[in-house]
Amino acid sequence: MRRLVLVSCLMLAACAQQPPRDDSLYQSLGGQPGITRIVEGMLLNIADDPRIVAHFREIDIERLRDKLVEQFCVEAGGPCRYTGDSMEESHKGLALTPSDFNALVEDLQLAMEREGVPVTAQNRLLARLAPMRGQVIDR
């Protein structure tokens, strides 16, 4: 019994020492509703973007929207869990170029601007998404 109490105390102490989750970016993006509006705005921008719209013609846009909302939420420090495929798997065989990736980023930036997201928050989100570039291009 004494051992169980000791283990329980150690587990509680470990939990208490964990730093609080930083959700400041999530909050700056407007939480779940704001992220949803940003993603939907980005998808509308893509639909009007002749540079990349063809890459999305055969895509289930509702599923894409849902997975992007999850992913952006996770990257922003929100209380979400990403349930989609890896970036490598999602983009396999698409032969996307750096120009394609840059066009999508521009469409995302425009959506964030239209939502009134502060530039510092935009840059923080883009910095968190940037490592995915290598997982997307030429897969």
Side-chain angles (χ1 to χ4, degrees):
M1 178 70 168
R2 182 175 165 179
R3 187 174 185 179
L4 180 60
V5 171
L6 179 61
V7 170
S8 296
C9 288
L10 289 173
M11 289 175 60
L12 287 173
C15 290
Q17 292 175 4
Q18 297 208 359
R21 181 175 51 85
D22 178 10
D23 71 346
S24 61
L25 178 55
Y26 176 75
Q27 297 302 327
S28 294
L29 296 174
Q32 189 79 16
I35 290 172
T36 299
R37 286 191 306 272
I38 289 166
V39 167
E40 289 174 349
M42 180 184 76
L43 293 173
L44 289 171
N45 293 339
I46 290 168
D48 289 334
D49 190 338
R51 300 172 296 174
I52 60 173
V53 69
H55 292 297
F56 294 85
R57 292 204 197 285
E58 303 296 321
I59 301 292
D60 178 346
I61 293 296
E62 287 184 29
R63 182 178 191 287
L64 176 61
R65 179 200 63 218
D66 294 345
K67 297 308 162 197
L68 287 171
V69 168
E70 287 177 5
Q71 187 174 49
F72 287 13
C73 179
V74 168
E75 293 298 325
C80 307
R81 191 168 137 280
Y82 179 66
T83 61
D85 296 328
S86 70
M87 289 298 97
E88 292 94 344
E89 187 62 33
S90 297
H91 298 88
K92 185 189 273 185
L94 297 180
L96 299 174
T97 66
S99 295
D100 296 329
F101 187 86
N102 293 342
L104 184 131
V105 170
E106 290 171 19
D107 291 336
L108 170 58
Q109 286 177 295
L110 181 58
M112 289 192 287
E113 286 172 13
R114 288 184 177 151
E115 283 300 313
V117 175
V119 172
T120 54
Q122 291 182 36
N123 290 339
R124 286 176 64 201
L125 179 62
L126 293 173
R128 292 184 184 184
L129 296 174
M132 295 177 193
R133 183 178 188 272
Q135 301 166 9
V136 169
I137 295 173
D138 293 329
R139 294 285 159 198

